[in-house]
Amino acid sequence: PPDAVGSGIPADATPTGGSIDYTHPKRRQTSGPPASEAPTPADGPAPPVAGDAVGWSMDERLYNQVWGMFEDLARSTAAYRSALDFAESRMEKELDQVLSDPRSRLGSVGDAAREAAQTRQAQLADQARAALDRDLAQLTAESEVVEPALPPEYARWDNPVWHGYRVPAEPPMAIRLGDLHLPESAPLRIPMLVRLPLERGLWIDSGVPDASRHEDVGELRHLALQSAVALAARLLAVHPAGEFGVQVIDPAGAGASVLAPLTGAGALDAPPATGAAGVTGVLGRLTERVDLVQMAVRGGASDALPPGLDISRQLLIVNDFPHGFDDRAVTQLRYLEDEGPDVGVHLLLVADREDAAAYGPLLDPLWRSLMRLTPVPDDHLADPWVGHAWTYEPCLVPPGSHVLQQVLTQVSAARTKRM
């Protein structure tokens, strides 16, 4: 979702009731066969149906349906907020008119005029809330049938689909990075789906502004790396065996316990790199890989790559950046972020921006190029339609669940068998 600039609000953004049409005529249409249409029962509106959107496959239809829900909630909330603003401005205008007339400013006439203006404002606010509540009821009903039907790449870790997990034969079209919600509809969560392959690197911010509500900074860093591990495990799980790899740079070795699900299952391409030498070695190998693949692609000579060069997609997790990085390593990291995604190298940075303050504006382009995520709920993401500030929540494994270890064990077994 939200990695674009919002646009305006159509006049008819808020549904006004009647039968529920889950083909979403207001949603942006994409290529593909039309969505299936459920028959409308005689005694009420048709129930929502999972996959009731355009697309050539069920995964594509679910992806488009989730984005449609995201757009509908954005526009309905925009209409609600606009209605509240209108009601407030109308009341203020009416009160100004009352106060501007000395004859009605005091006494019972003025009191009655003020009371009437406040009553009209309350009525408009109630009407706006009722319209929003109708929209939320429709979207909540849709979410309740869509969420259980999502494939692993779109599903939360507590979804039963993970208990029947099998290593896929085809790469996915998108992946879930977390959940999004707005304050007016806090119980309703919209999956945050992004298309694959990732066009931008990811940055899990371990120094969010509201860190004061946590016991210490170490807890935030722990949660940030947990989020990174969960994302890496998801990316490994939804790709065919051997087509996606993960490498880790952990200069001080501070994340060893959190990285244990990846290292214990043998899901990493190599043990986490530590120390300055480890940082230099990993960055050097990935930089060389990007250079070679770029030259081969540009020269139309992909078959001329050195034998044994791993050309599978790679995710590089960097923990506690910029600890252990010198100027050359920072330059290589920026190069990987700029040039890597086009040739299959992606970056996942776990960092507090304040730790890199010594570099000044040198790293500003790096931070801007990354998609910022947070290890705790934070309202920093904007939708591409009206620009609401959405609260992002990471997809973490439920406490006490062993689903991550079970999935990674299958991934590692499939990789070993393929070798």
Side-chain angles (χ1 to χ4, degrees):
D3 50 4
V5 179
S7 58
I9 309 169
D12 59 348
T14 305
T16 57
S19 62
I20 304 174
D21 180 5
Y22 278 94
T23 57
H24 300 287
K26 298 185 295 298
R27 293 181 178 176
R28 184 176 294 105
Q29 296 296 308
T30 59
S31 61
S36 59
E37 296 183 2
T40 302
D43 58 347
V49 177
D52 191 13
V54 296
W56 293 105
S57 66
M58 177 56 77
D59 286 359
E60 185 178 2
R61 291 196 294 271
L62 287 168
Y63 173 86
N64 290 332
Q65 187 172 15
V66 167
W67 266 86
M69 293 165 60
F70 183 36
E71 180 176 358
D72 285 352
L73 181 55
R75 296 193 188 282
S76 293
T77 304
Y80 171 69
R81 292 178 180 178
S82 178
L84 290 186
D85 289 343
F86 170 76
E88 189 69 25
S89 63
R90 175 175 169 173
M91 182 184 69
E92 291 176 356
K93 182 178 180 181
E94 291 177 351
L95 291 177
D96 287 342
Q97 291 174 348
V98 171
L99 295 174
S100 65
D101 187 351
R103 294 170 299 177
S104 61
R105 188 179 303 165
L106 302 174
S108 59
V109 175
D111 291 341
R114 281 189 286 270
E115 184 177 349
Q118 292 168 352
T119 299
R120 282 190 288 270
Q121 186 271 341
Q123 290 174 342
L124 289 174
D126 290 344
Q127 292 173 6
R129 185 69 219 191
L132 178 64
D133 287 343
R134 287 194 297 269
D135 294 346
L136 292 180
Q138 295 174 12
L139 288 169
T140 299
E142 189 171 10
S143 177
E144 288 174 352
V145 298
V146 168
E147 192 71 49
L150 295 177
E153 56 266 31
Y154 303 165
R156 289 195 296 254
W157 285 108
D158 59 358
N159 191 311
V161 71
W162 285 107
H163 297 292
Y165 168 77
R166 295 293 182 271
V167 178
E170 298 291 335
M173 66 172 291
I175 194 169
R176 185 175 191 155
L177 295 184
D179 292 333
L180 299 168
H181 69 86
L182 292 170
E184 292 86 350
S185 53
L188 178 60
R189 300 297 195 266
I190 304 296
M192 179 182 173
L193 305 182
V194 296
R195 296 296 292 260
L196 292 178
L198 295 170
E199 296 180 357
R200 303 168 62 190
L202 304 175
W203 164 33
I204 301 181
D205 188 354
S206 59
V208 290
D210 55 354
S212 59
R213 68 182 180 180
H214 295 272
E215 294 182 1
D216 53 41
V217 175
E219 182 184 354
L220 276 176
R221 295 182 187 274
H222 181 86
L223 288 172
L225 188 55
Q226 267 191 335
S227 299
V229 169
L231 279 175
R234 183 182 294 266
L235 283 164
L236 282 168
V238 301
H239 282 84
E243 292 191 13
F244 195 91
V246 175
Q247 300 189 49
V248 177
I249 291 178
D250 185 23
S257 61
V258 184
L259 293 167
L262 294 173
T263 56
L268 298 179
D269 288 354
T274 58
V279 172
T280 301
V282 172
L283 293 178
R285 289 191 295 273
L286 287 176
T287 300
E288 182 182 16
R289 177 195 185 281
V290 170
D291 287 339
L292 290 173
V293 175
Q294 274 188 338
M295 288 188 292
V297 171
R298 290 170 181 170
S302 299
D303 55 348
L305 288 169
L309 181 68
D310 184 5
I311 59 173
S312 64
R313 291 198 170 273
Q314 297 285 320
L315 177 71
L316 173 61
I317 300 176
V318 179
N319 187 37
D320 282 344
F321 175 80
H323 182 81
F325 279 67
D326 56 18
D327 290 345
R328 184 171 185 272
V330 169
T331 301
Q332 288 178 315
L333 190 71
R334 290 182 57 187
Y335 173 77
L336 291 177
E337 168 57 19
D338 292 339
E339 305 294 335
D342 289 340
V343 291
V345 176
H346 308 279
L347 183 63
L348 176 52
L349 204 64
V350 180
D352 179 354
R353 188 169 180 173
E354 289 300 316
D355 292 344
Y359 287 93
L362 177 67
L363 290 182
D364 285 352
L366 173 65
W367 302 119
R368 287 195 299 266
S369 68
L370 299 169
M371 179 184 292
R372 177 176 174 258
L373 306 176
T374 53
V376 292
D378 188 67
D379 59 346
H380 67 281
L381 291 174
D383 64 75
W385 303 287
V386 291
H388 294 315
W390 291 75
T391 296
Y392 166 82
E393 293 184 13
C395 274
L396 296 176
V397 179
S401 173
H402 299 288
V403 65
L404 196 69
Q405 291 88 338
Q406 294 168 0
V407 168
L408 288 174
T409 298
Q410 290 193 52
V411 169
S412 298
R415 290 179 61 187
T416 303
K417 184 177 180 181
R418 185 176 182 272
M419 293 177 183

